[in-house]
């Protein structure tokens, strides 16, 4: 007797189920229900159709009802929504556009209802200018609006995969896009040390990125919509895309007796069976077992959904197939970058209290001497037994195959030692003799065998440095171009002869550029009796964490759009690079730091003043390095651009220190910044400091305010912040004023009455309050820096300071003062 099988829902899970069922059983009666008219489409391709990378809509349709019937003899019923299940009668209730409401019996039932986009209960959420992107009708609605003339801007809410992809594709349509993410970072499957590179790529492609800020309300405003964030920031745009996640579409199941999880996902076993006999479930609506942690979770991905559909079909047909869990292997394109991950990230492992270790490598995509060798960063997470718990990678080429290799190794139960033994294909255009995957295995194996003790950049940031020496083992030119504050520089090649400069009673924390020279240094030091830790990933990994999104300053010129880099006063131009004349060219692609800088220095030395050199490099650090190098050496950076990982710089030699102009506009670096050292914690002096700072900022000057000792009290949060402190630090903090509202006057304080009186007078005379002055300064780009040493002395932690404060040291202040023509001590 033939089986009657009903499948609820199509796309990845349902469509793969019915196709597999038919291949296994030609006699079965198979009916598929789909509530709209599209049973199988490329939902991962929807953003790219909107951005017109995919130009033909038909290419999104994997199977039509007609093709599914003709090839697989499936009874496909579109516009038919299953609205209830009677597990005792073994029937489903269907609401059909053509037939009305009716019942259909089954022998086996497969549920693949998927998930729907979340639309939270926010004021104004029902505006017809707010869209979600989940299916073909959603896509049609967005594209029809985006293609209209006069549509120039969009706000995307949510920085997950869909949010980032639609952001990029709206940008491709020449819309000005703001991406808003309520969490501290986008792309939750990635750790912050990887994802900041993706955030930087968004900003560099003119995306206004707002992190750590959610939506308070929406409001229609004529032909556009106003978005108000929790910070009270207001953004006006022509449309809004909601991409804040999905929720399982299982309301019709809730009274059926089928077990659901805490978030309404369908619970299944490893054969995809529910608690009800002959009922199976697959796809985004189910809970799965995490392959690494073995915990139940939800991972809505197309690949696992297809595999689950196949397994459900196998078990209905009498085959014994099991699903062994989801790794969460995924990949995303972010403009020219690629990011991919597999397994668990650090955040998940910490939440589950699973011990782990981390290493980083920063190789290039193929042999460095072969053209277009582009850098990538690979992070490997593993435990003390060598089991691989997860991996993440980001770069311009070769990211996908490295994560795929590690994901396959994990799936087959391999360890970090197995990564060292993998025999991967090699030729100079494709890889290196030691593939990046092998390199990650080598480094991890060195850690596990005790040949090297590592510390991550995050761990170093929170490390007790009281009895340590920070050692930079890079070359002089690298060190002078940027280093971790407080580091002693001894190049690794000179380390053996200079060991006497180091104290064996102190722990050595050392680093190089990417970790390789650091390993060599750690071996030298440890075998000479030093206790040593190597910062894994080196200076490159440390510097990645320092990126924070900033809004660009744009000119009003349409023909030549100039963007002024706020950190280094370097002008970048969108003019064609071919329009720039140069006297010499240098190809430094494939070289890792300090190679490109050393080549630049040697080449510049051969030029005469006023001559221009064109430099091309693939090391991503070169983008920031060359700006700092030109500023330090007084050479002129005429133009700086990036294209698919290759960085091109035009540099004019200027050894005679005269100001020159290029054909765009003068980029000579003028020491016109303003710095203020705020030592006092008196209310009147704090007001004066911020009045001066706001005034300078309003004139377009870069302003740095360096707060030290009593001045730190100005930056304290008003509310008490629960942080663990020693008794002495707690007593010190108790005695000091907590925040600007508790500051005293330097004269005539009168037990606090003077401070209250001056605030009343300021209010009556419309003089801005200190708190508003502080906010205005931060909003205007004034750099607020708290002295790390003073914080340590006074027992203050970063958590106790107001948002927007940067932590720095005397070295940082002196660097800013060097570029200033006004330096005040208050």
């Amino acid at each position: 007797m033939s089986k009657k099988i009903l499948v609820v829902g199509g796309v990845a899970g349902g469509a793969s189920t019915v196709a597999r069922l038919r291949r296994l059983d030609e006699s079965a009666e198979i009916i598929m229900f789909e509530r709209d008219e599209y049973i199988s489409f490329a939902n991962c391709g929807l953003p790219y159709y909107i951005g017109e990378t995919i130009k033909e809509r038909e290419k999104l349709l994997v199977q039509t009802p007609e093709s599914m019937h003709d090839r697989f003899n499936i009874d496909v019923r579109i516009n038919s929504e299953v609205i209830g299940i009677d597990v005792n009668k073994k029937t489903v209730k269907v609401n059909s556009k053509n037939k009305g409401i009716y019942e259909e019996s089954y022998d086996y039932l497969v549920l693949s209802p998927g998930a729907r986009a979340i639309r939270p209960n926010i004021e104004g959420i029902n505006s017809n200018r707010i869209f979600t992107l989940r299916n073909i009708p959603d896509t049609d609605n967005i594209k029809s609006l985006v293609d209209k003339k006069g549509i120039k801007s969009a706000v995307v809410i949510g920085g997950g995969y869909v949010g980032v992809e639609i952001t990029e594709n709206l940008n491709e349509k020449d819309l000005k896009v703001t991406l808003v993410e309520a969490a501290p970072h986008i792309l939750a499957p990635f750790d912050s040390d990887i994802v900041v590179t993706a955030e930087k790529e968004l900003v560099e492609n003119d995306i206004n990125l707002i992190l750590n800020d959610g939506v308070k309300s929406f409001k229609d405003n004529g032909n556009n919509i106003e978005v108000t964030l929790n910070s009270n920031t207001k953004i006006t745009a022509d449309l809004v895309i909601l991409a804040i996640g999905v929720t399982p579409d299982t309301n019709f199941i809730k009274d059926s007796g089928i077990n659901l999880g805490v978030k309404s996902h369908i619970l299944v076993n490893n054969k995809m069976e529910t608690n009800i006999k002959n009922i199976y479930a697959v796809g985004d609506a189910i809970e799965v077992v995490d392959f690494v942690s073995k915990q139940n979770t939800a991972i809505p991905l197309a690949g696992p959904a297809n595999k689950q559909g196949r397994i459900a079909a196998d078990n209905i047909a009498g085959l014994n197939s099991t699903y062994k869990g989801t790794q969460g292997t995924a990949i995303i394109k972010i403009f020219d970058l690629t990011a991919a991950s597999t397994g668990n990230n650090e955040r998940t492992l910490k939440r589950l209290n699973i011990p782990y270790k981390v290493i980083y490598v920063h190789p290039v995509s193929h042999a460095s001497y072969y053209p277009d060798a582009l850098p990538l960063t690979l992070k490997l997470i593993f435990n003390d037994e060598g089991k691989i718990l997860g991996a993440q990678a980001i770069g311009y080429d070769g990211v996908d195959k490295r994560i795929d290799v590690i994901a396959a190794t994990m799936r087959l139960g391999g360890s970090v030692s197995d990564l060292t033994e993998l025999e991967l294909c090699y030729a100079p255009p494709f890889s290196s003799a030691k593939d990046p995957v092998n390199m990650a295995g080598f480094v991890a194996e060195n850690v596990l065998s005790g040949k090297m003790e590592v510390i991550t950049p995050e761990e170093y940031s929170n490390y007790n440095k009281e009895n340590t020496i920070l050692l930079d083992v890079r070359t002089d030119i690298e060190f002078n171009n940027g280093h971790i504050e407080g580091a002693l520089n001894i190049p690794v090649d000179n380390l053996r002869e200079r060991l006497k400069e180091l104290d064996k009673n102190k722990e050595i924390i050392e680093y190089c550029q990417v970790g390789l020279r650091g390993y060599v240094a750690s071996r030298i030091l440890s075998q000479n009796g030093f206790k040593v830790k190597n910062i894994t990933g080196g200076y490159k990994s440390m510097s990645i964490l320092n990126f924070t999104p900033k809004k660009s300053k744009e000119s009003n010129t349409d023909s030549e759009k100039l963007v002024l880099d706020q950190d280094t006063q370097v002008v970048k131009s969108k003019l064609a690079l071919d329009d720039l004349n140069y006297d010499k060219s240098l190809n430094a692609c494939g070289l890792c730091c300090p190679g490109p800088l050393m080549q630049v220095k040697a080449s510049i030395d051969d030029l005469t003043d006023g001559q221009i050199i064109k430099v091309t490099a693939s090391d991503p650090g070169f983008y920031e390095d060359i700006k700092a190098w030109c500023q330090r050496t007084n050479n002129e950076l005429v133009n700086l651009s990036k294209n698919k990982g290759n960085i091109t710089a035009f540099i004019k030699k200027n050894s005679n220190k005269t100001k020159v102009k290029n054909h765009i506009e003068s980029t000579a670096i003028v020491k016109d910044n303003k710095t203020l050292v705020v030592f006092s914690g008196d209310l009147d002096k704090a007001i004066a400091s911020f009045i001066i700072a706001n005034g300078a900022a309003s004139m377009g000057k870069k302003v740095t305010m360096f707060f030290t000792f009593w001045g730190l009290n100005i930056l304290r949060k008003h509310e008490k912040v629960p942080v663990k402190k020693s008794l002495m630090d707690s007593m010190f903090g108790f005695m000091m004023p907590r925040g600007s509202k508790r500051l005293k006057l330097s004269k005539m304080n009168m037990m606090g009455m003077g401070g209250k009186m001056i605030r009343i007078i300021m209010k009556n005379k419309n003089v801005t309050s200190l708190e508003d002055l502080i906010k205005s300064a931060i909003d205007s780009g004034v750099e607020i820096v708290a002295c790390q040493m003073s914080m340590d002395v006074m027992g203050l932690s970063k958590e106790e300071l107001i948002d927007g404060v940067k932590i720095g040291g005397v070295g940082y202040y002196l660097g800013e003062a060097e570029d200033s023509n006004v330096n005040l001590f208050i």
Side-chain angles (χ1 to χ4, degrees):
M1 183 176 177
S2 63
K3 303 168 185 173
K4 183 177 182 181
I5 307 164
L6 308 185
V7 178
V8 180
V11 198
S16 62
T17 300
V18 298
R20 176 69 170 172
L21 278 169
R22 179 56 75 215
R23 292 194 297 270
L24 294 175
D25 188 346
E26 185 64 24
S27 65
E29 180 185 1
I30 305 172
I31 304 172
M32 173 191 279
F33 298 97
E34 177 55 54
R35 67 177 158 203
D36 60 32
E37 56 186 294
Y38 303 98
I39 62 166
S40 182
F41 58 90
N43 52 358
C44 296
L46 301 181
Y48 299 99
Y49 170 63
I50 293 171
E52 297 186 354
T53 299
I54 300 170
K55 298 187 182 300
E56 299 172 16
R57 182 177 181 274
E58 292 71 25
K59 290 186 176 180
L60 297 173
L61 306 178
V62 180
Q63 289 280 1
T64 64
E66 294 76 20
S67 65
M68 186 68 81
H69 178 269
D70 293 345
R71 177 165 295 182
F72 297 106
N73 189 26
I74 306 296
D75 180 0
V76 179
R77 302 182 187 179
I78 59 173
N79 298 314
S80 299
E81 182 179 7
V82 173
I83 57 176
I85 303 171
D86 191 324
V87 299
N88 297 315
K89 292 170 56 179
K90 299 182 73 172
T91 61
V92 299
K93 183 182 288 186
V94 184
N95 185 6
S96 169
K97 182 178 179 181
N98 297 323
K99 298 181 181 180
I101 295 177
Y102 68 95
E103 290 188 345
E104 191 74 49
S105 64
Y106 64 84
D107 296 316
Y108 292 89
L109 176 63
V110 181
L111 302 172
S112 180
R116 64 181 186 277
I118 294 173
R119 291 183 72 97
N121 186 23
I122 297 175
E123 180 184 342
I125 191 73
N126 295 320
S127 167
N128 60 10
R129 287 186 172 267
I130 300 177
F131 302 87
T132 57
L133 181 59
R134 189 69 186 165
N135 52 36
I136 295 290
D138 290 343
T139 307
D140 291 339
N141 290 335
I142 295 170
K143 186 162 175 57
S144 64
L145 180 59
V146 168
D147 287 347
K148 288 181 179 179
K149 289 184 178 179
I151 301 299
K152 298 180 179 179
S153 60
V155 175
V156 178
I157 311 297
Y161 287 101
V162 173
V164 171
E165 288 170 344
I166 192 62
T167 293
E168 177 182 346
N169 281 278
L170 291 174
N171 177 273
E172 293 293 326
K173 292 285 289 180
D174 292 327
L175 271 67
K176 177 61 181 175
V177 187
T178 297
L179 175 59
V180 178
E181 170 56 56
H185 293 285
I186 61 172
L187 298 173
F190 296 88
D191 291 314
S192 58
D193 47 18
I194 296 293
V195 82
V196 288
T197 304
E199 292 168 352
K200 188 173 183 180
E201 184 77 4
L202 290 171
V203 172
E204 289 177 354
N205 281 276
D206 206 27
I207 302 302
N208 181 23
L209 179 61
I210 299 176
L211 301 175
N212 233 358
D213 207 353
V215 177
K216 182 186 291 184
S217 66
F218 301 101
K219 181 181 178 182
D220 280 323
N221 188 9
N223 292 326
N224 49 45
I225 184 167
E226 182 181 83
V227 184
T228 301
L229 305 183
N230 290 332
S231 63
N232 289 322
T233 301
K234 295 183 185 297
I235 311 164
T236 299
D238 296 316
L239 73 153
V240 170
I241 308 291
L242 281 182
I244 55 178
V246 295
T247 186
D249 205 351
T250 54
N251 284 338
F252 71 101
I253 298 171
K254 287 184 176 177
D255 297 326
S256 66
I258 298 172
N259 288 343
L260 301 178
V262 293
K263 294 185 178 180
S264 298
H265 293 87
I266 305 169
L267 301 181
V268 295
N269 61 17
N270 63 358
K271 294 185 177 182
M272 313 316 298
E273 297 172 313
T274 69
N275 62 303
I276 305 296
K277 186 178 179 181
N278 293 349
I279 298 182
Y280 296 76
V282 300
D284 293 354
I286 71 167
E287 276 191 13
V288 295
V289 173
D290 185 301
F291 182 79
V292 175
S293 70
K294 308 306 179 187
Q295 304 288 316
N296 270 29
T297 187
I299 305 177
L301 292 171
N306 276 287
K307 296 174 182 66
Q308 293 156 11
R310 181 183 178 91
I311 290 168
D314 282 355
N315 286 297
I316 291 172
L319 302 177
N320 187 22
S321 293
T322 59
Y323 188 67
K324 297 178 177 62
T326 300
Q327 283 174 247
T329 307
I331 192 166
I332 185 171
K333 173 183 178 292
I334 310 113
F335 290 97
D336 292 332
L337 271 179
T338 302
S341 68
T342 188
N344 287 176
N345 58 23
E346 287 194 70
R347 190 166 47 255
T348 300
L349 295 170
K350 286 177 181 176
R351 176 172 54 82
L352 298 174
N353 293 317
I354 297 175
Y356 66 91
K357 296 180 182 296
V358 172
I359 62 95
Y360 304 85
V361 291
H362 300 285
V364 288
S365 56
H366 56 244
S368 60
Y369 55 83
Y370 190 86
D372 296 326
L374 299 174
L376 63 90
T377 292
L378 179 58
K379 176 178 183 176
L380 188 66
I381 308 173
F382 53 98
N383 65 12
D384 286 334
E385 287 74 46
K387 178 183 177 182
I388 305 169
L389 304 177
Q392 300 164 42
I394 191 163
Y396 297 94
D397 184 36
V399 167
D400 51 347
K401 67 178 180 179
R402 271 71 195 211
I403 290 297
D404 280 344
V405 166
I406 295 174
T409 304
M410 290 175 64
R411 178 63 65 164
L412 298 174
S415 67
V416 296
S417 294
D418 292 310
L419 296 182
T420 69
E421 298 176 11
L422 290 175
E423 187 175 328
L424 304 172
C425 57
Y426 160 61
F430 305 103
S431 184
S432 300
K434 295 178 182 177
D435 189 87
V437 170
N438 299 137
M439 292 300 299
F442 292 145
V443 176
E445 201 172 53
N446 285 336
V447 171
L448 291 175
S449 64
K451 292 183 177 68
M452 175 176 63
E453 188 173 355
V454 297
I455 182 171
T456 68
E458 183 181 4
E459 287 171 338
Y460 174 74
S461 298
N462 299 314
Y463 201 68
N464 183 354
K465 307 175 183 68
E466 184 177 347
N467 197 38
T468 63
I469 295 173
L470 180 61
L471 179 63
D472 187 319
V473 299
R474 300 176 301 157
T475 63
D476 294 343
I477 190 172
E478 291 173 278
F479 182 83
N480 291 331
N481 215 50
H483 57 267
I484 304 174
E485 184 182 346
L488 168 68
N489 181 216
I490 303 178
V492 65
D493 293 341
N494 307 122
L495 186 55
R496 290 181 181 87
E497 64 200 54
R498 296 178 59 182
L499 288 175
K500 291 181 180 179
E501 297 177 32
L502 301 173
D503 185 350
K504 284 189 177 181
N505 294 317
K506 293 188 176 182
E507 182 179 39
I508 309 295
I509 298 179
E510 50 82 23
Y511 67 93
C512 63
Q513 184 66 16
V514 297
L516 181 58
R517 286 171 289 172
Y519 171 59
V520 175
S522 72
R523 296 301 299 153
I524 294 171
L525 291 166
S526 61
Q527 292 180 81
N528 279 278
F530 290 90
K531 183 180 180 182
V532 58
K533 285 187 174 76
N534 181 25
I535 299 179
T536 182
Y539 185 73
K540 184 171 181 177
S541 288
M542 284 291 297
S543 59
I544 285 171
L545 292 176
N546 291 332
F547 172 74
T548 53
K550 291 184 180 180
K551 295 182 180 179
S552 298
K553 293 180 181 178
E554 296 181 1
S555 73
N556 296 320
T557 309
D558 292 329
S559 59
E560 293 183 3
K561 189 175 183 183
L562 303 177
V563 182
L564 186 63
D565 187 279
Q566 294 174 328
D567 292 326
T568 52
Q569 303 289 302
V570 174
V571 172
K572 295 175 281 185
S573 169
K574 288 193 174 181
L575 290 173
L577 295 183
D578 292 339
D579 294 340
L580 295 173
N581 296 319
Y582 55 92
D583 302 285
K584 185 178 180 179
S585 65
L586 169 65
N587 187 343
C589 290
L591 296 178
C592 295
C593 187
L597 282 182
M598 294 175 69
Q599 295 271 359
V600 169
K601 183 182 184 304
S603 298
I604 285 280
D605 287 345
D606 292 336
L607 298 181
T608 59
D609 277 5
Q611 286 190 311
I612 293 176
I613 184 172
K614 174 186 177 183
V615 184
T616 306
S618 57
D619 181 5
F622 183 73
Y623 192 82
E624 299 298 333
D625 286 349
I626 195 60
K627 290 189 283 188
W629 185 86
C630 286
Q631 185 171 359
R632 186 176 59 84
T633 60
N634 204 53
N635 289 293
E636 182 183 347
L637 187 53
V638 176
N639 189 286
L640 182 63
S641 63
K642 185 188 296 184
N643 182 30
K644 295 185 178 179
N646 279 329
I647 298 154
T648 302
F650 289 82
I651 306 162
K652 179 182 287 187
K653 184 170 183 178
N654 189 29
S655 63
N656 62 5
K657 300 185 180 181
T658 58
K659 297 180 183 178
V660 293
K661 287 181 176 287
N662 58 41
H663 74 284
I664 302 173
E665 71 170 315
S666 172
T667 59
I669 299 169
V670 180
K671 294 188 175 182
D672 195 26
N673 299 342
K674 317 297 176 188
T675 54
L676 293 84
V677 179
V678 185
F679 178 85
S680 172
D682 294 330
L683 174 60
D684 44 342
K685 295 176 183 176
I687 293 170
S689 300
F690 278 97
I691 288 175
I692 294 169
N694 278 291
S698 69
M699 296 171 65
K701 310 300 182 184
K702 183 183 178 184
V703 183
T704 300
M705 301 181 73
F706 188 75
F707 289 79
T708 183
F709 284 95
W710 314 115
L712 290 171
N713 292 316
I714 303 170
L715 304 181
R716 293 182 71 183
K717 292 177 179 175
H718 305 304
E719 67 277 7
K720 187 175 181 180
V721 178
V723 290
K724 190 175 181 180
K725 292 186 177 185
S726 66
L727 176 62
M728 187 66 70
D729 286 347
S730 297
M731 291 175 62
F732 214 77
F734 177 77
M735 291 186 290
M736 293 188 300
R738 189 166 56 238
S740 59
K741 293 181 179 178
R742 300 188 183 185
L743 301 180
K744 299 177 181 179
L745 282 180
S746 61
K747 303 289 184 183
M748 298 186 298
N749 186 56
M750 297 180 293
M751 301 183 68
M753 286 300 297
K756 292 178 181 178
M757 289 171 62
I758 198 170
R759 286 180 177 273
I760 294 171
I761 293 169
M762 290 171 66
K763 184 176 181 181
N764 292 339
K765 295 189 176 182
N766 289 323
V767 179
T768 308
S769 70
L770 174 57
E771 291 70 38
D772 288 340
L773 284 169
I774 294 172
K775 183 178 184 303
S776 177
I778 294 173
D779 292 344
S780 299
V782 172
E783 198 167 50
I784 311 293
V785 183
C787 175
Q788 179 69 68
M789 182 275 292
S790 297
M791 290 174 63
D792 293 341
V793 170
M794 302 180 77
L796 294 177
S797 66
K798 186 176 181 180
E799 291 78 12
E800 295 177 88
L801 304 184
I802 60 176
D803 295 336
V805 175
K806 185 174 184 177
I807 309 300
V810 174
Y812 183 82
Y813 155 69
L814 290 174
E816 294 299 306
E818 180 70 24
D819 293 330
S820 300
N821 60 3
V822 172
N823 186 25
L824 302 179
F825 187 91
I826 299 176

